[in-house]
Amino acid sequence: KKNSGGILIIDYGYFEDKMKNTLQAIYNQKYSNVLKNIGKSDITHNINFNLFKKITKKIKGLKTLTTTQRNFLIKVGIKQRAEIISKNMPFLKKVDIYYRLKRLIDKKQMGNLFKVMFIKNDFIKSAHDVSLGGIITAISKMCIKGNKGFEFKKMNIFMNEIEYLFS
């Protein structure tokens, strides 16, 4: 609460009020008995995002935004990003990208299975997708929206500055 940041949570979950028993195990990419293949299975459960929302409402100065992974990814420009990165790729690589994109946003696959929650302090006035114009464009737009300036320190990265700032 004392910081001006936020937290983005993306996970298996549901929005209903009623609590559910969602404990499950995955072994060899299939559902399995939780008590079998101990130590070899991925044991998980679905998060009740509505419960998180109720808890954050009790803390003054916090706001929550919730949606499905599908809506979130489409809103931040995943389709446009897929077009940009696949533009000069061979056909088979393009097919692979769009297959993966479909898996992430399809309502019958991960699109509705995963939920997204952004818990933020009231101080955050703007956020921007870096896939459309790069980090420098995103920061500039946020500064304009928030009537703020910024100081940018060069990072040691494995790509040139132009590519880092504008892609």
Side-chain angles (χ1 to χ4, degrees):
K1 186 175 167 183
K2 66 182 178 178
N3 297 317
S4 60
I7 182 171
L8 182 66
I9 302 167
I10 303 174
D11 209 339
Y12 299 100
Y14 59 96
F15 293 134
E16 292 86 29
D17 281 331
K18 188 176 179 183
M19 293 294 288
K20 299 178 179 181
N21 178 5
T22 61
L23 184 65
Q24 56 191 338
I26 309 291
Y27 179 72
N28 283 340
Q29 301 178 348
K30 295 179 184 166
Y31 290 106
S32 72
N33 185 319
V34 176
L35 300 175
K36 291 188 177 178
N37 302 308
I38 295 174
K40 296 177 184 174
S41 295
D42 178 19
I43 299 175
T44 187
H45 69 95
N46 291 348
I47 293 174
N48 182 339
F49 282 91
N50 197 44
L51 179 62
F52 275 28
K53 198 170 190 174
K54 285 179 182 179
I55 292 168
T56 55
K57 273 186 178 180
K58 292 183 180 190
I59 302 171
K60 291 182 182 176
L62 291 181
K63 289 190 175 181
T64 58
L65 304 168
T66 55
T67 189
T68 62
Q69 176 173 287
R70 172 189 169 75
N71 292 342
F72 173 76
L73 291 175
I74 289 172
K75 185 143 183 133
V76 298
I78 195 169
K79 289 180 178 180
Q80 293 87 344
R81 185 66 178 160
E83 286 178 31
I84 291 167
I85 65 172
S86 67
K87 188 175 183 179
N88 296 319
M89 289 186 166
F91 178 75
L92 289 177
K93 288 198 176 196
K94 282 183 183 183
V95 169
D96 184 53
I97 287 171
Y98 283 96
Y99 169 79
R100 292 168 189 268
L101 174 65
K102 182 180 186 294
R103 186 169 182 250
L104 288 170
I105 64 175
D106 190 277
K107 291 178 180 179
K108 294 179 181 173
Q109 295 187 43
M110 295 171 72
N112 281 349
L113 178 63
F114 281 77
K115 307 299 186 278
V116 177
M117 175 179 259
F118 183 50
I119 302 172
K120 69 180 187 105
N121 196 316
D122 273 342
F123 298 118
I124 295 176
K125 301 296 181 200
S126 177
H128 192 276
D129 172 28
V130 297
S131 72
L132 301 172
I135 193 167
I136 198 75
T137 303
I139 291 171
S140 298
K141 286 186 174 188
M142 289 187 296
C143 288
I144 291 166
K145 174 78 174 174
N147 198 22
K148 303 283 183 194
F150 72 95
E151 180 180 326
F152 197 82
K153 294 182 181 176
K154 183 180 173 198
M155 298 177 64
N156 293 331
I157 52 174
F158 296 106
M159 60 177 80
N160 71 46
E161 284 183 1
I162 301 301
E163 188 177 313
Y164 176 73
L165 295 174
F166 294 100
S167 67

